Amino acid sequence: MPLSSLSFNEAKAREADMNGFPSAKYSSREQNVLSLWRSSSPSTARNLPSTPQEGCPELSRIPLFSKLPAEGLRQLSLYGVARTYPKNTILIHEKDQGESLYVILSGKVKIYVSNKAGKEIILNILNPGEYFGELELIDTGPYSASVMTLERSQIYMISRACLHYYLLEYPTIALELLHSLALRIRLLTESVKSFALDNVYQRVIRTLLNLATERDGTLAIEQRLTQQDVANRVGASREMVSHILKELNAGGYIKIKDRKITIQRKLPLGW
């Protein structure tokens, strides 16, 4: 049954249970809809403890939902699920069936693909305010990559049925979603171009510059990176990346301290 056939007012009038969802005596029609709202836990993390709450005021700070009216935000906050996961929790396995939109309230996750031999390529690192899983909710296909938490993270999950309702009810969300997808396609195109045309050194340089942010006139990478992290991003061996970083450090181009990299001067185009 479509979500729109049941108004939010019908459900919100119920008393809230410990998970922040309307509870008590539902009709079979309401039960079907609420079960869709609740089907938001990743299969690999479903048995981990959740963080019970009533609503989620943090959603107003998420760009995707920032233009929603106050009532729309309030409704959305009641019909999702917020869960807190420890570091290294796999939220999504590649090829799992897409079932939810995942919004990062706190923490950090990596989007990656891997093969049976364990070789891994990191496609992206996402921070608070960003989200993932939207593509699979649009075309109903399986997830195209895996997702793992890099630190303790709070994730807000919204089921496909609920998201579809909001896309129809509030077109500004759809426009923001399209903008986000267009940006990610551009970044993916750049990544494919780099993998196809650049050598390992050039890919390392591109990665360092993309990760760096300017602070007090200096380019610095706030995220603590291991050599393997960089290798996984550029599709090279850790030994090759280690050699390049050591050469750049010795030449005074970068400074590495406590796994944080600062770019001291313009990086050479060739090596």
Side-chain angles (χ1 to χ4, degrees), residues 64 100-102 131-139 143 163 177 180-181 184:
L64 180 62
S100 300
L101 175 73
Y102 300 79
Y131 49 89
F132 55 94
E134 71 279 16
L135 183 62
E136 291 75 15
L137 294 188
I138 294 173
D139 69 358
Y143 291 115
L163 180 65
L177 201 58
S180 173
L181 288 173
R184 293 189 184 187

Side-chain angles (χ1 to χ4, degrees), residues 159-172:
S159 71
R160 178 189 287 115
C162 190
L163 180 65
H164 284 184
Y165 172 88
Y166 272 87
L167 290 176
L168 292 173
E169 190 76 8
Y170 301 102
T172 54

